[in-house]
Structures are given as C-alpha cells and as structure tokens.
C-alpha cells in the first residue's frame, strides 16, 4: 500500500463476539488493522433493498379499508343498517382486491437496489 497521511478516524462499538470475529479475521490476514479494513472496504459491496415503491399502493388500500371500517362503525352506532350492509360490501370488495395484490407481490416481489450502479 502506498504511504499516505490519514487524518480521519472512525470509532465503532462491537459485542464480544463481533470483536472476536474482527480479531480472528484481521490476524489471519496478516495485515494491519487499517489495511485490513481498507481492503474489506474496497472489496465489498453493500446492497440496500427497497420495496417501498411496490408497497405504497398496498398501504393506500389498507388505509381505505380502515376508513370504510370507521364508516361502518359510525353507521352502526346511528342505526343505519342499510348503510352498514353497503359498507360491508365495499369492505369485502376492497379486501379481495388487496389480497390479490398482496398475493401477486409475494409471488414476484419488486424491489430496487439503492447505491448500485
């Protein structure tokens, strides 16, 4: 490794097991702690998966069902049975649609990988 000046330091906390793993791997490499960390940093890839874009419409549907449930409770409390039946029908339709969307998502989850070029 070329000789260079390093002005920044990083501090981290490890459990006993993590420290033991660090020491074992670092010592086995034969490198200094800094060189070992730099090699690990340069030769690794961290992927962060995001399913937010796929889940957002499902969350919206769940909120709509919650609104319908609130309306159902309101109509029930004021004794409007016909509106209660209509709300139950709307909740069933929304629930069936949501279950289909969740099943489709679980069969083929869509996600993006952030930070990968």
């Amino acid at each position: 490794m070329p000789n260079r000046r390093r002005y920044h330091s990083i501090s981290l906390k490890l459990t006993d097991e993590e420290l033991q793993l660090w020491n074992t791997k670092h010592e086995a490499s034969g490198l200094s702690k800094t060189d070992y960390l730099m090699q690990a940093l340069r030769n690794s890839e961290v992927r962060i998966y995001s399913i937010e874009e796929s889940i957002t419409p499902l969350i919206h549907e769940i909120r709509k069902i919650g609104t319908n449930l609130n309306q159902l409770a309101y109509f029930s409390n004021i004794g409007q049975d016909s509106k209660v039946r209509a709300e139950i029908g709307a909740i069933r339709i929304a629930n069936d649609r949501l279950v289909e969307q969740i099943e489709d998502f679980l069969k083929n989850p869509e996600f993006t990988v952030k930070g990968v070029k």
Side-chain angles (χ1 to χ4, degrees), residues 14-28 36:
L14 304 172
T15 64
D16 290 340
E17 293 82 17
E18 292 166 340
L19 180 61
Q20 183 178 3
L21 178 62
W22 164 263
N23 287 331
T24 301
K25 288 188 170 192
H26 151 255
E27 290 167 5
Y36 175 77

Side-chain angles (χ1 to χ4, degrees), residues 21-83:
L21 178 62
W22 164 263
N23 287 331
T24 301
K25 288 188 170 192
H26 151 255
E27 290 167 5
S29 74
L31 299 171
S32 70
K33 288 181 180 182
T34 300
D35 289 341
Y36 175 77
L37 181 59
M38 292 307 299
Q39 183 130 357
L41 185 63
R42 286 188 184 107
N43 296 327
S44 68
E45 182 178 320
V46 176
R47 292 183 177 199
I48 300 169
Y49 296 94
S50 173
I51 58 171
E52 185 176 327
E53 293 172 11
S54 299
I55 295 295
T56 300
L58 301 178
I59 292 170
H60 180 70
E61 287 296 319
I62 290 170
R63 286 188 179 135
K64 284 175 33 181
I65 291 172
T67 300
N68 288 354
L69 287 172
N70 287 338
Q71 290 173 347
L72 176 67
Y74 172 76
F75 291 138
S76 178
N77 287 332
I78 63 172
Q80 294 190 4
D81 294 338
S82 61
K83 289 190 176 184

